[in-house]
Amino acid sequence: MKLVPLVSILAAVATTAVLGVSVASAHPVPGQRQNQFGHVEMPEHYTFDTSAQGPPRLIDVLAKEKSATIAMDAIMQSESLVRAISGDSTGFKNGLTLLLPTNEAFRQAGPTPENLELVMQRHFIPQVVSLKSMASGVTVASYEDAAVLRFWSEDGVVNVQADSREKAQVSGAGVQAGTGTYFLVNQLFT
């Protein structure tokens, strides 16, 4: 009988930890909101599989990328792209490399393109492309052959160009998850 209360307490602590609520203060983590009943509100369109085992899926890691929320909203509008970052797409049997445009890249691009799904397909590569390969000058096709992506290194900075569009800089060493890798880029391939 004494185990039941202990199990209940442990379950409550685990639940509050998963929801990002502090047991001591019952306040949300920065960036989260509470509704009128004190419950933490999560964005409706980003879900996390808390029962998953193994490495996190790319979709779960991307949902935490604060500098690319506009790109995530665009990706979430396309069933095929959501399937790709969820690891549930036959079009990405050889892996996935995502060149994720930052919020600033969207702002610089101006009004949202009408062909947003096609624009985002240019940022998806249906194979693994390492930073080393990018720096050495590899050329690859994007998802559904939406663009030919040419990489090169210049003054220690890795760049990419989609067809004849403006070049973008690739930031960081890449963030890897169970279903792919993403790199931030400072241009939208419109």
Side-chain angles (χ1 to χ4, degrees), residues 12-159:
V13 169
T15 301
T16 56
V18 167
L19 293 176
V21 178
S22 166
V23 176
S25 63
H27 287 85
V29 184
Q32 291 180 330
R33 299 183 315 248
Q34 285 183 313
N35 64 19
Q36 65 187 21
F37 304 107
H39 298 138
V40 174
E41 295 179 2
M42 296 295 287
E44 292 178 18
H45 53 280
Y46 299 140
T47 59
F48 298 92
D49 185 358
T50 57
S51 65
Q53 295 178 357
R57 299 174 309 158
L58 189 57
I59 190 171
D60 296 325
V61 174
L62 287 170
K64 298 176 185 178
E65 180 59 66
K66 302 296 183 204
S67 64
T69 56
I70 299 171
M72 277 303 295
D73 287 341
I75 291 168
M76 298 305 280
Q77 293 177 29
S78 166
E79 181 182 347
S80 65
L81 299 181
V82 169
R83 290 176 61 109
I85 63 174
S86 299
D88 187 30
S89 175
T90 57
F92 293 87
K93 291 178 186 174
N94 296 322
L96 164 63
T97 303
L98 173 57
L99 304 174
L100 189 65
T102 62
N103 292 338
E104 185 59 30
F106 272 89
R107 287 186 200 96
Q108 289 176 2
T112 302
E114 292 197 23
N115 58 346
L116 187 57
E117 183 173 7
L118 175 62
V119 169
M120 291 309 298
Q121 284 177 354
R122 294 179 187 130
H123 292 267
F124 280 70
I125 304 169
Q127 66 187 43
V128 175
V129 181
S130 68
L131 187 61
K132 184 177 180 179
S133 294
M134 291 177 190
S136 70
V138 70
T139 298
V140 296
S142 67
Y143 180 56
E144 298 288 337
D145 295 320
V148 173
L149 302 171
R150 185 177 63 86
F151 294 88
W152 73 95
S153 181
E154 182 176 34
D155 298 325
V157 176
V158 175
N159 298 290

Side-chain angles (χ1 to χ4, degrees), residues 1-14:
M1 292 248 254
K2 292 185 179 182
L3 289 178
V4 173
L6 179 59
V7 169
S8 298
I9 291 170
L10 291 175
V13 169

